[in-house]
Amino acid sequence: MGGMGDNTRGLVLAMLSSLFIGSSFILKKKGLKRAAAASSASRAGVGGYTYLLEPLWWTGMITMIVGEVANFVAYIYAPAVLVTPLGALSIIVSAVLAHFLLKERLQKMGIVGCVSCIVGSVVIVLHAPQEHTPGSVQEVWILATQPAFLFYVAATMSIVLTLVLHFQPRYGQSNILIYLAICSLMGSLTVVSIKAIGIAIKLSLEGISQVAYPQTWIFLTVAVVCIITQLNYLNKALDTFNAAIVSPIYYVMFTTLTIVASAIMFKDWSGLDASSVASEICGFVTVISGTVILHATKEPETSNVAAGTTLSKNTGSITWYNGDPIDGREHAHFILLHEGDYCE
């Protein structure tokens, strides 16, 4: 990648990340199926862990880790407005591979959803802004302490605390937006923190050590706290509601707030004219529409949640479940924006 510009490096890494992560879902699912066939009483959907002995599942995990690393590095080179929406490409990869390898039928409207994601991604790439990489973590700190971003952080934390302390105990088990709003708001802070850490690592590898700066460790601490909070409430959402509903809503909320946070802190759109900004927004909306269409047309699977309990297919309708992890879908992403696979 020596002769590439930063945006091109970020684009290539983001696409490779989607390819690896999308493929990892299929590998893990095939591993889960093999483990379930070997011991139906210990399947993941009822709390079993026999899949940990399945090499194919571990191959999927390693593939996902490679994809996550590629995604992490992509944020170092390219703005979040370019990298984040491209996470939708992993959904296309997993849907297409599932159609051919797992015999999960991709419906006609699902194909329309895939095409919409691709078209939207192309528009985003063509109009993505060029990002100026700060020369030190101290420069990133200056961006993070500007009044506009401090106001965003204060507003975000106020909303999160209100949701956690007031709304979650009352409505968390009945309103899907409570958990996902907490995840998405914290996720937007996760991304900007991860980007700051990535810049510090990049500069340190180039011989300009950033380890001695306290700002580096502040960004690391913020990232760890935000990631733990995200994982906690995302797991609550997946354990309470149908993953077929959680995934598209979370993708839309997380991606939107991440782009807003990055635009405020790093001023991603400051060098773009009005037509380019409008094109970026149209591309983003197209990707969101494709993602929702793809999930809405996905066939639910027959799955034994507990002994003697069978869920039948109900194509064309979505049922909300409270209390039981229906699809048990894994949804852990380092930046937490990619779709998961059904654990069986």
Side-chain angles (χ1 to χ4, degrees):
M1 295 186 186
M4 294 183 181
D6 281 354
N7 265 24
T8 306
R9 290 190 182 97
L11 170 63
V12 171
L13 287 166
M15 294 181 70
L16 286 174
S17 170
S18 294
L19 178 62
F20 279 113
I21 291 173
S23 302
S24 74
F25 297 148
I26 306 305
L27 292 171
K28 287 194 293 181
K29 184 163 185 178
K30 288 182 74 69
L32 289 165
K33 283 181 174 292
R34 287 187 182 180
S39 177
S40 59
S42 302
R43 54 192 295 148
V46 293
Y49 297 96
T50 54
Y51 62 87
L52 294 176
L53 302 176
E54 177 56 54
L56 195 57
W57 185 87
W58 282 107
T59 303
M61 278 301 299
I62 293 171
T63 305
M64 173 167 274
I65 291 171
V66 172
E68 303 297 359
V69 171
N71 190 75
F72 171 76
V73 179
Y75 276 103
I76 300 175
Y77 291 104
V81 70
L82 172 62
V83 176
T84 306
L86 292 180
L89 296 179
S90 67
I91 307 171
I92 299 176
V93 173
S94 60
V96 172
L97 289 178
H99 178 80
F100 290 104
L101 299 180
L102 300 178
K103 308 305 179 185
E104 296 179 2
R105 189 165 61 89
L106 185 61
Q107 301 181 30
K108 291 181 180 178
M109 285 304 296
I111 296 174
V112 173
C114 290
V115 172
S116 297
C117 288
I118 294 172
V119 171
S121 298
V122 170
V123 173
I124 289 172
V125 170
L126 291 178
H127 297 276
Q130 292 292 329
E131 186 176 53
H132 166 68
T133 303
S136 71
V137 75
Q138 289 177 309
E139 287 187 34
V140 182
W141 183 256
I142 292 173
L143 295 174
T145 53
Q146 59 184 315
F149 189 71
L150 287 177
F151 176 79
Y152 176 83
V153 173
T156 296
M157 295 310 300
S158 298
I159 295 172
V160 167
L161 287 174
T162 302
L163 290 172
V164 170
L165 299 177
H166 178 74
F167 289 98
Q168 186 229 326
R170 294 170 173 79
Y171 311 111
Q173 294 295 309
S174 59
N175 191 328
I176 192 173
L177 296 180
I178 304 298
Y179 291 143
L180 295 187
I182 296 171
C183 292
S184 301
L185 287 164
M186 296 302 288
S188 66
L189 299 181
T190 299
V191 170
V192 294
S193 301
I194 288 294
K195 189 171 181 66
I197 296 168
I199 291 171
I201 293 174
K202 177 188 175 187
L203 292 171
S204 297
L205 293 176
E206 292 174 351
I208 311 172
S209 177
Q210 305 294 305
V211 176
Y213 294 118
Q215 292 91 337
T216 301
W217 300 102
I218 293 175
F219 283 126
L220 180 61
T221 302
V222 171
V224 170
V225 171
C226 289
I227 289 172
I228 291 174
T229 305
Q230 273 183 274
L231 284 172
N232 180 39
Y233 284 96
L234 185 58
N235 286 334
K236 287 177 182 289
L238 287 171
D239 191 50
T240 306
F241 302 99
N242 192 327
I245 301 174
V246 171
S247 297
I249 295 176
Y250 178 57
Y251 175 82
V252 172
M253 294 178 67
F254 171 80
T255 306
T256 302
L257 289 170
T258 296
I259 290 175
V260 169
S262 181
I264 294 173
M265 179 171 170
F266 293 99
K267 299 179 172 60
D268 292 334
W269 289 355
S270 60
L272 295 181
D273 54 30
S275 63
S276 294
V277 172
S279 298
E280 283 283 305
I281 294 173
C282 289
F284 176 50
V285 172
T286 305
V287 170
I288 288 177
S289 302
T291 303
V292 173
I293 291 172
L294 192 55
H295 275 281
T297 57
K298 184 179 292 183
E299 280 194 350
E301 298 179 57
T302 301
S303 174
N304 293 327
V305 179
T309 303
T310 301
L311 300 178
S312 61
K313 290 186 178 181
N314 187 19
T315 305
S317 64
I318 297 176
T319 306
W320 295 55
Y321 295 90
N322 291 323
D324 295 320
I326 299 301
D327 286 321
R329 188 183 282 191
E330 293 191 20
H331 204 298
H333 182 275
F334 191 69
I335 307 299
L336 298 173
L337 62 139
H338 291 283
E339 308 307 320
D341 57 294
Y342 295 103
C343 292
E344 299 204 293

